[in-house]
Amino acid sequence: MVKEQRGASDPARTLELLWRMPGGASGREDSRRGPKQGLTVDAVVQAAVELADSAGLDALTMRNIAQRLGVTPMTLYTYVPGKAELLDLMLDFVYLRMPRGDRAAAPWREKVEAVARENRDLYDRHPWVATMSTARPPLGPGLMAKYEHELAAFDGLGLDDVEMDAALTLLLDFVRSVAHATLDTKAATRDSALSDAQWWEANEPLLAKVFDPARFPLAARVGSAAGAAHQGMYDPGHAFTFGLHRILDGLAHLMDRPR
């Protein structure tokens, strides 16, 4: 899965847009002004998110967004300087709108599991997010609210601040990896027009000719058992549940260490 690189953007301008600063630190004109009465940065970003949700990032062009909004492509540049800034705004837009339940009184495992499931739901609603590079994420209100909410699940567990950040990063990286694998599985099914079960059925006769179970006994036994259990090479639901429980077990061990 190739990550979408957001490209170079003007950090000061991006922060102005993320925090909707009239005029902003650079003294530029308010980006929400424009030739179309009532059009806003939020409206442009929402249209872009809806387009990416329905057609993927390959379809995300200023021309296609403008067509959705009924304006000319040049009009959009009144609100957003370019695609790099727009992608930052889109990420922060979906982060800000993630459901965040109040689980202050819940057991710690339930709170941490809820964070994982909230992020998995995010990727289900917006698959394109899993393809975005977040090496330098947009430092907007959505990301800050998300980070604050998710850190709360690890607060009071006996971890120091660096460990809290590392534990959250581990959890989010795991959920992201499952989302990537899920996208790959869906893409393989779409491109081949075959489900995993159908693909294996079609290739089983050839595999039987070249594969020697006596030479690879573990691969034969384990692969057969896993394939039968998952009805294919990969089961995203099983991978998510199994991996999440192992992460929770590891955190429990960390919290029980001698101090």
Side-chain angles (χ1 to χ4, degrees):
M1 179 64 64
V2 177
K3 288 186 179 181
E4 172 73 20
Q5 301 296 329
R6 298 200 303 277
S9 61
D10 179 349
R13 185 58 174 148
T14 299
L15 284 175
E16 291 171 11
L17 288 166
L18 286 167
W19 293 93
R20 304 299 192 268
M21 297 166 59
S26 65
R28 291 185 177 91
E29 185 178 351
D30 187 349
S31 64
R32 291 172 294 182
R33 299 173 186 170
K36 182 176 175 62
Q37 188 73 20
L39 193 60
T40 63
V41 172
D42 280 339
V44 173
V45 175
Q46 182 168 345
V49 168
E50 291 172 353
L51 178 60
D53 288 347
S54 62
L57 290 181
D58 288 343
L60 190 70
T61 65
M62 290 300 195
R63 181 176 299 279
N64 287 342
I65 298 168
Q67 189 173 25
R68 275 180 169 257
L69 293 169
V71 299
T72 64
M74 288 306 298
T75 299
L76 298 184
Y77 292 100
T78 307
Y79 303 92
V80 181
K83 188 174 180 180
E85 292 83 2
L86 177 60
L87 288 168
D88 282 338
L89 289 165
M90 290 167 62
L91 273 177
D92 204 68
F93 183 90
V94 298
Y95 287 162
L96 191 60
R97 285 155 181 78
M98 290 177 66
R100 297 183 178 94
D102 182 5
R103 299 181 179 86
W108 75 265
R109 289 180 75 108
E110 183 179 321
K111 289 191 285 189
V112 173
E113 183 170 345
V115 170
R117 295 193 181 280
E118 287 165 358
N119 279 274
R120 191 184 185 199
D121 290 344
L122 171 72
Y123 293 127
D124 286 343
R125 291 192 304 272
H126 311 289
W128 53 272
V129 174
T131 70
M132 298 282 288
S133 172
T134 54
R136 293 181 177 177
L139 301 177
L143 177 65
M144 292 298 103
K146 182 177 187 292
Y147 188 49
E148 180 78 13
H149 167 74
E150 293 170 351
L151 282 174
F154 299 88
D155 195 24
L157 302 184
L159 308 179
D160 63 34
D161 288 350
V162 175
E163 290 171 335
M164 285 173 60
D165 179 80
L168 176 58
T169 299
L170 171 65
L171 181 70
L172 298 184
D173 284 348
F174 160 70
V175 179
R176 186 181 182 87
S177 71
V178 174
H180 268 278
T182 302
L183 287 178
D184 288 342
T185 300
K186 290 180 177 179
T189 300
R190 182 182 64 249
D191 295 343
S192 67
L194 295 172
S195 67
D196 268 2
Q198 291 170 329
W199 186 88
W200 275 111
E201 184 178 355
N203 287 275
E204 188 174 9
L206 174 61
L207 183 62
K209 293 180 180 179
V210 298
F211 182 73
D212 182 4
R215 183 181 178 187
F216 306 106
L218 279 177
R221 190 189 80 217
V222 175
S224 177
H230 304 323
Q231 292 299 299
M233 293 181 62
Y234 182 74
D235 180 351
H238 179 270
F240 177 81
T241 301
F242 181 87
L244 175 59
H245 288 171
R246 301 297 74 77
I247 289 176
L248 294 174
D249 292 343
L251 289 175
H253 178 74
L254 181 63
M255 290 184 290
D256 291 340
R257 67 191 165 175
R259 292 178 178 81

